[in-house]
PDB file of all heavy atoms in Angstrom:
ATOM      1  N   SER K 264      80.342 125.482  93.557  1.00  0.00           N
ATOM      2  CA  SER K 264      80.437 126.796  92.944  1.00  0.00           C
ATOM      3  C   SER K 264      81.132 127.809  93.958  1.00  0.00           C
ATOM      4  O   SER K 264      81.605 128.770  93.596  1.00  0.00           O
ATOM      5  CB  SER K 264      79.146 127.362  92.550  1.00  0.00           C
ATOM      6  OG  SER K 264      78.213 127.409  93.619  1.00  0.00           O
ATOM      7  N   LEU K 265      81.045 127.498  95.313  1.00  0.00           N
ATOM      8  CA  LEU K 265      81.513 128.350  96.249  1.00  0.00           C
ATOM      9  C   LEU K 265      82.991 128.067  96.697  1.00  0.00           C
ATOM     10  O   LEU K 265      83.516 128.626  97.568  1.00  0.00           O
ATOM     11  CB  LEU K 265      80.565 128.369  97.568  1.00  0.00           C
ATOM     12  CG  LEU K 265      79.241 128.926  97.282  1.00  0.00           C
ATOM     13  CD1 LEU K 265      78.382 128.749  98.634  1.00  0.00           C
ATOM     14  CD2 LEU K 265      79.205 130.359  96.831  1.00  0.00           C
ATOM     15  N   HIS K 266      83.514 127.067  96.065  1.00  0.00           N
ATOM     16  CA  HIS K 266      84.976 126.565  96.452  1.00  0.00           C
ATOM     17  C   HIS K 266      85.946 127.702  95.987  1.00  0.00           C
ATOM     18  O   HIS K 266      85.883 128.075  94.857  1.00  0.00           O
ATOM     19  CB  HIS K 266      85.178 125.244  95.857  1.00  0.00           C
ATOM     20  CG  HIS K 266      84.629 124.133  96.699  1.00  0.00           C
ATOM     21  ND1 HIS K 266      85.347 123.049  97.176  1.00  0.00           N
ATOM     22  CD2 HIS K 266      83.286 123.876  97.016  1.00  0.00           C
ATOM     23  CE1 HIS K 266      84.493 122.196  97.810  1.00  0.00           C
ATOM     24  NE2 HIS K 266      83.299 122.729  97.743  1.00  0.00           N
ATOM     25  N   SER K 267      86.875 127.960  96.820  1.00  0.00           N
ATOM     26  CA  SER K 267      88.035 128.785  96.549  1.00  0.00           C
ATOM     27  C   SER K 267      89.326 128.000  96.711  1.00  0.00           C
ATOM     28  O   SER K 267      89.549 127.424  97.729  1.00  0.00           O
ATOM     29  CB  SER K 267      88.065 130.053  97.394  1.00  0.00           C
ATOM     30  OG  SER K 267      89.221 130.715  97.332  1.00  0.00           O
ATOM     31  N   SER K 268      90.119 127.956  95.590  1.00  0.00           N
ATOM     32  CA  SER K 268      91.294 127.062  95.640  1.00  0.00           C
ATOM     33  C   SER K 268      92.317 127.468  96.746  1.00  0.00           C
ATOM     34  O   SER K 268      92.718 126.594  97.473  1.00  0.00           O
ATOM     35  CB  SER K 268      92.057 127.166  94.354  1.00  0.00           C
ATOM     36  OG  SER K 268      91.267 126.647  93.242  1.00  0.00           O
ATOM     37  N   ASP K 269      92.515 128.731  96.991  1.00  0.00           N
ATOM     38  CA  ASP K 269      93.455 129.220  98.001  1.00  0.00           C
ATOM     39  C   ASP K 269      93.009 128.939  99.363  1.00  0.00           C
ATOM     40  O   ASP K 269      93.673 128.374 100.234  1.00  0.00           O
ATOM     41  CB  ASP K 269      93.843 130.629  97.816  1.00  0.00           C
ATOM     42  CG  ASP K 269      94.560 130.878  96.568  1.00  0.00           C
ATOM     43  OD1 ASP K 269      95.320 130.001  96.045  1.00  0.00           O
ATOM     44  OD2 ASP K 269      94.533 132.079  96.047  1.00  0.00           O
ATOM     45  N   LYS K 270      91.718 129.302  99.600  1.00  0.00           N
ATOM     46  CA  LYS K 270      91.124 129.046 101.020  1.00  0.00           C
ATOM     47  C   LYS K 270      90.962 127.532 101.237  1.00  0.00           C
ATOM     48  O   LYS K 270      91.211 127.088 102.328  1.00  0.00           O
ATOM     49  CB  LYS K 270      89.758 129.734 101.096  1.00  0.00           C
ATOM     50  CG  LYS K 270      89.828 131.213 101.099  1.00  0.00           C
ATOM     51  CD  LYS K 270      88.430 131.850 101.187  1.00  0.00           C
ATOM     52  CE  LYS K 270      88.553 133.360 101.248  1.00  0.00           C
ATOM     53  NZ  LYS K 270      87.139 134.023 101.269  1.00  0.00           N
ATOM     54  N   ASP K 271      90.575 126.741 100.327  1.00  0.00           N
ATOM     55  CA  ASP K 271      90.436 125.373 100.454  1.00  0.00           C
ATOM     56  C   ASP K 271      91.761 124.640 100.756  1.00  0.00           C
ATOM     57  O   ASP K 271      91.789 123.708 101.539  1.00  0.00           O
ATOM     58  CB  ASP K 271      89.791 124.745  99.225  1.00  0.00           C
ATOM     59  CG  ASP K 271      88.349 125.035  99.023  1.00  0.00           C
ATOM     60  OD1 ASP K 271      87.762 125.694  99.955  1.00  0.00           O
ATOM     61  OD2 ASP K 271      87.739 124.709  97.992  1.00  0.00           O
ATOM     62  N   LEU K 272      92.817 125.259 100.097  1.00  0.00           N
ATOM     63  CA  LEU K 272      94.169 124.738 100.368  1.00  0.00           C
ATOM     64  C   LEU K 272      94.500 124.848 101.767  1.00  0.00           C
ATOM     65  O   LEU K 272      95.172 124.000 102.425  1.00  0.00           O
ATOM     66  CB  LEU K 272      95.151 125.388  99.354  1.00  0.00           C
ATOM     67  CG  LEU K 272      96.404 124.688  99.131  1.00  0.00           C
ATOM     68  CD1 LEU K 272      96.156 123.473  98.245  1.00  0.00           C
ATOM     69  CD2 LEU K 272      97.409 125.498  98.261  1.00  0.00           C
ATOM     70  N   LEU K 273      94.272 126.029 102.294  1.00  0.00           N
ATOM     71  CA  LEU K 273      94.685 126.325 103.633  1.00  0.00           C
ATOM     72  C   LEU K 273      93.913 125.562 104.675  1.00  0.00           C
ATOM     73  O   LEU K 273      94.432 124.964 105.652  1.00  0.00           O
ATOM     74  CB  LEU K 273      94.357 127.923 103.936  1.00  0.00           C
ATOM     75  CG  LEU K 273      94.740 128.410 105.387  1.00  0.00           C
ATOM     76  CD1 LEU K 273      96.342 128.280 105.480  1.00  0.00           C
ATOM     77  CD2 LEU K 273      94.278 129.934 105.427  1.00  0.00           C
ATOM     78  N   VAL K 274      92.594 125.353 104.471  1.00  0.00           N
ATOM     79  CA  VAL K 274      91.708 124.539 105.361  1.00  0.00           C
ATOM     80  C   VAL K 274      92.236 123.088 105.236  1.00  0.00           C
ATOM     81  O   VAL K 274      92.250 122.398 106.257  1.00  0.00           O
ATOM     82  CB  VAL K 274      90.220 124.572 104.967  1.00  0.00           C
ATOM     83  CG1 VAL K 274      89.430 123.684 105.875  1.00  0.00           C
ATOM     84  CG2 VAL K 274      89.778 126.100 105.165  1.00  0.00           C
ATOM     85  N   ALA K 275      92.525 122.648 104.001  1.00  0.00           N
ATOM     86  CA  ALA K 275      92.983 121.192 103.820  1.00  0.00           C
ATOM     87  C   ALA K 275      94.322 120.912 104.600  1.00  0.00           C
ATOM     88  O   ALA K 275      94.437 119.885 105.148  1.00  0.00           O
ATOM     89  CB  ALA K 275      93.184 120.921 102.331  1.00  0.00           C
ATOM     90  N   VAL K 276      95.227 121.986 104.593  1.00  0.00           N
ATOM     91  CA  VAL K 276      96.416 121.775 105.418  1.00  0.00           C
ATOM     92  C   VAL K 276      96.085 121.692 106.877  1.00  0.00           C
ATOM     93  O   VAL K 276      96.737 120.879 107.592  1.00  0.00           O
ATOM     94  CB  VAL K 276      97.356 123.072 105.200  1.00  0.00           C
ATOM     95  CG1 VAL K 276      98.545 123.121 106.253  1.00  0.00           C
ATOM     96  CG2 VAL K 276      97.897 123.047 103.778  1.00  0.00           C
ATOM     97  N   THR K 277      95.135 122.379 107.290  1.00  0.00           N
ATOM     98  CA  THR K 277      94.702 122.297 108.706  1.00  0.00           C
ATOM     99  C   THR K 277      94.189 120.935 109.010  1.00  0.00           C
ATOM    100  O   THR K 277      94.589 120.314 110.077  1.00  0.00           O
ATOM    101  CB  THR K 277      93.548 123.349 108.981  1.00  0.00           C
ATOM    102  OG1 THR K 277      94.062 124.674 108.718  1.00  0.00           O
ATOM    103  CG2 THR K 277      93.115 123.223 110.450  1.00  0.00           C
ATOM    104  N   TYR K 278      93.234 120.325 108.266  1.00  0.00           N
ATOM    105  CA  TYR K 278      92.718 119.109 108.608  1.00  0.00           C
ATOM    106  C   TYR K 278      93.551 117.794 108.263  1.00  0.00           C
ATOM    107  O   TYR K 278      93.281 116.749 108.738  1.00  0.00           O
ATOM    108  CB  TYR K 278      91.265 118.995 108.192  1.00  0.00           C
ATOM    109  CG  TYR K 278      91.008 118.815 106.773  1.00  0.00           C
ATOM    110  CD1 TYR K 278      91.247 117.651 106.021  1.00  0.00           C
ATOM    111  CD2 TYR K 278      90.338 119.827 106.080  1.00  0.00           C
ATOM    112  CE1 TYR K 278      90.986 117.542 104.641  1.00  0.00           C
ATOM    113  CE2 TYR K 278      89.993 119.718 104.737  1.00  0.00           C
ATOM    114  CZ  TYR K 278      90.365 118.631 103.990  1.00  0.00           C
ATOM    115  OH  TYR K 278      90.037 118.486 102.741  1.00  0.00           O
ATOM    116  N   THR K 279      94.534 118.075 107.449  1.00  0.00           N
ATOM    117  CA  THR K 279      95.398 116.853 107.059  1.00  0.00           C
ATOM    118  C   THR K 279      96.782 116.920 107.780  1.00  0.00           C
ATOM    119  O   THR K 279      97.277 115.840 107.939  1.00  0.00           O
ATOM    120  CB  THR K 279      95.741 116.808 105.507  1.00  0.00           C
ATOM    121  OG1 THR K 279      96.311 118.196 105.112  1.00  0.00           O
ATOM    122  CG2 THR K 279      94.430 116.603 104.761  1.00  0.00           C
ATOM    123  N   VAL K 280      97.203 118.033 108.198  1.00  0.00           N
ATOM    124  CA  VAL K 280      98.529 118.188 108.817  1.00  0.00           C
ATOM    125  C   VAL K 280      98.347 118.609 110.267  1.00  0.00           C
ATOM    126  O   VAL K 280      99.075 117.971 111.171  1.00  0.00           O
ATOM    127  CB  VAL K 280      99.403 119.133 108.042  1.00  0.00           C
ATOM    128  CG1 VAL K 280     100.761 119.242 108.764  1.00  0.00           C
ATOM    129  CG2 VAL K 280      99.542 118.832 106.611  1.00  0.00           C
ATOM    130  N   ILE K 281      97.670 119.571 110.603  1.00  0.00           N
ATOM    131  CA  ILE K 281      97.579 120.222 111.938  1.00  0.00           C
ATOM    132  C   ILE K 281      96.633 119.387 112.846  1.00  0.00           C
ATOM    133  O   ILE K 281      96.919 119.075 113.972  1.00  0.00           O
ATOM    134  CB  ILE K 281      97.254 121.681 111.839  1.00  0.00           C
ATOM    135  CG1 ILE K 281      98.304 122.384 111.022  1.00  0.00           C
ATOM    136  CG2 ILE K 281      97.137 122.246 113.304  1.00  0.00           C
ATOM    137  CD1 ILE K 281      97.936 123.807 110.799  1.00  0.00           C
ATOM    138  N   THR K 282      95.440 119.149 112.364  1.00  0.00           N
ATOM    139  CA  THR K 282      94.398 118.449 113.273  1.00  0.00           C
ATOM    140  C   THR K 282      94.905 117.093 113.818  1.00  0.00           C
ATOM    141  O   THR K 282      94.757 116.847 115.034  1.00  0.00           O
ATOM    142  CB  THR K 282      93.090 118.269 112.477  1.00  0.00           C
ATOM    143  OG1 THR K 282      92.626 119.532 112.063  1.00  0.00           O
ATOM    144  CG2 THR K 282      92.024 117.626 113.412  1.00  0.00           C
ATOM    145  N   PRO K 283      95.556 116.223 113.010  1.00  0.00           N
ATOM    146  CA  PRO K 283      96.104 115.001 113.501  1.00  0.00           C
ATOM    147  C   PRO K 283      97.146 115.175 114.730  1.00  0.00           C
ATOM    148  O   PRO K 283      97.220 114.302 115.593  1.00  0.00           O
ATOM    149  CB  PRO K 283      96.843 114.294 112.411  1.00  0.00           C
ATOM    150  CG  PRO K 283      96.009 114.867 111.161  1.00  0.00           C
ATOM    151  CD  PRO K 283      95.681 116.269 111.519  1.00  0.00           C
ATOM    152  N   LEU K 284      97.785 116.346 114.753  1.00  0.00           N
ATOM    153  CA  LEU K 284      98.689 116.684 115.851  1.00  0.00           C
ATOM    154  C   LEU K 284      97.885 117.162 117.040  1.00  0.00           C
ATOM    155  O   LEU K 284      98.190 116.925 118.233  1.00  0.00           O
ATOM    156  CB  LEU K 284      99.698 117.725 115.423  1.00  0.00           C
ATOM    157  CG  LEU K 284     100.507 118.317 116.549  1.00  0.00           C
ATOM    158  CD1 LEU K 284     101.423 117.164 117.248  1.00  0.00           C
ATOM    159  CD2 LEU K 284     101.483 119.344 116.033  1.00  0.00           C
ATOM    160  N   LEU K 285      96.769 117.920 116.771  1.00  0.00           N
ATOM    161  CA  LEU K 285      95.955 118.588 117.778  1.00  0.00           C
ATOM    162  C   LEU K 285      95.336 117.532 118.689  1.00  0.00           C
ATOM    163  O   LEU K 285      95.279 117.634 119.929  1.00  0.00           O
ATOM    164  CB  LEU K 285      94.898 119.420 117.120  1.00  0.00           C
ATOM    165  CG  LEU K 285      93.950 120.176 118.158  1.00  0.00           C
ATOM    166  CD1 LEU K 285      94.674 121.221 118.871  1.00  0.00           C
ATOM    167  CD2 LEU K 285      92.766 120.707 117.272  1.00  0.00           C
ATOM    168  N   ASN K 286      94.884 116.453 118.124  1.00  0.00           N
ATOM    169  CA  ASN K 286      94.125 115.457 118.886  1.00  0.00           C
ATOM    170  C   ASN K 286      94.970 114.873 120.099  1.00  0.00           C
ATOM    171  O   ASN K 286      94.471 114.954 121.210  1.00  0.00           O
ATOM    172  CB  ASN K 286      93.663 114.288 118.012  1.00  0.00           C
ATOM    173  CG  ASN K 286      92.550 114.670 116.962  1.00  0.00           C
ATOM    174  OD1 ASN K 286      91.999 115.824 117.084  1.00  0.00           O
ATOM    175  ND2 ASN K 286      92.234 113.873 115.980  1.00  0.00           N
ATOM    176  N   PRO K 287      96.149 114.348 119.843  1.00  0.00           N
ATOM    177  CA  PRO K 287      96.959 113.852 120.962  1.00  0.00           C
ATOM    178  C   PRO K 287      97.310 114.860 121.933  1.00  0.00           C
ATOM    179  O   PRO K 287      97.397 114.681 123.146  1.00  0.00           O
ATOM    180  CB  PRO K 287      98.168 113.142 120.355  1.00  0.00           C
ATOM    181  CG  PRO K 287      98.223 113.694 119.012  1.00  0.00           C
ATOM    182  CD  PRO K 287      96.849 114.033 118.513  1.00  0.00           C
ATOM    183  N   LEU K 288      97.580 116.130 121.398  1.00  0.00           N
ATOM    184  CA  LEU K 288      98.040 117.201 122.351  1.00  0.00           C
ATOM    185  C   LEU K 288      96.821 117.587 123.261  1.00  0.00           C
ATOM    186  O   LEU K 288      97.068 117.703 124.437  1.00  0.00           O
ATOM    187  CB  LEU K 288      98.472 118.435 121.518  1.00  0.00           C
ATOM    188  CG  LEU K 288      99.857 118.337 120.860  1.00  0.00           C
ATOM    189  CD1 LEU K 288     100.240 119.496 120.152  1.00  0.00           C
ATOM    190  CD2 LEU K 288     100.942 117.935 121.818  1.00  0.00           C
ATOM    191  N   VAL K 289      95.593 117.653 122.640  1.00  0.00           N
ATOM    192  CA  VAL K 289      94.449 118.050 123.449  1.00  0.00           C
ATOM    193  C   VAL K 289      94.204 117.038 124.482  1.00  0.00           C
ATOM    194  O   VAL K 289      93.990 117.370 125.707  1.00  0.00           O
ATOM    195  CB  VAL K 289      93.258 118.231 122.514  1.00  0.00           C
ATOM    196  CG1 VAL K 289      91.914 118.229 123.334  1.00  0.00           C
ATOM    197  CG2 VAL K 289      93.316 119.453 121.757  1.00  0.00           C
ATOM    198  N   TYR K 290      94.231 115.688 124.162  1.00  0.00           N
ATOM    199  CA  TYR K 290      93.936 114.726 125.015  1.00  0.00           C
ATOM    200  C   TYR K 290      95.002 114.526 126.154  1.00  0.00           C
ATOM    201  O   TYR K 290      94.778 114.024 127.247  1.00  0.00           O
ATOM    202  CB  TYR K 290      93.660 113.317 124.344  1.00  0.00           C
ATOM    203  CG  TYR K 290      92.244 113.181 123.910  1.00  0.00           C
ATOM    204  CD1 TYR K 290      91.941 113.341 122.514  1.00  0.00           C
ATOM    205  CD2 TYR K 290      91.257 112.871 124.821  1.00  0.00           C
ATOM    206  CE1 TYR K 290      90.559 113.264 122.124  1.00  0.00           C
ATOM    207  CE2 TYR K 290      89.932 112.762 124.364  1.00  0.00           C
ATOM    208  CZ  TYR K 290      89.595 112.902 123.026  1.00  0.00           C
ATOM    209  OH  TYR K 290      88.291 112.884 122.598  1.00  0.00           O
ATOM    210  N   THR K 291      96.275 114.904 125.830  1.00  0.00           N
ATOM    211  CA  THR K 291      97.357 114.878 126.772  1.00  0.00           C
ATOM    212  C   THR K 291      97.297 115.980 127.741  1.00  0.00           C
ATOM    213  O   THR K 291      97.432 115.867 128.932  1.00  0.00           O
ATOM    214  CB  THR K 291      98.720 114.829 126.029  1.00  0.00           C
ATOM    215  OG1 THR K 291      98.730 113.698 125.207  1.00  0.00           O
ATOM    216  CG2 THR K 291      99.822 114.641 127.001  1.00  0.00           C
TER     217      THR K 291
END
Side-chain angles (χ1 to χ4, degrees):
S264 59
L265 297 179
H266 281 234
S267 167
S268 296
D269 292 337
K270 290 180 181 179
D271 289 355
L272 204 66
L273 183 61
V274 176
V276 168
T277 301
Y278 68 72
T279 57
V280 180
I281 298 172
T282 302
L284 173 61
L285 180 68
N286 291 350
L288 290 181
V289 165
Y290 275 102
T291 302

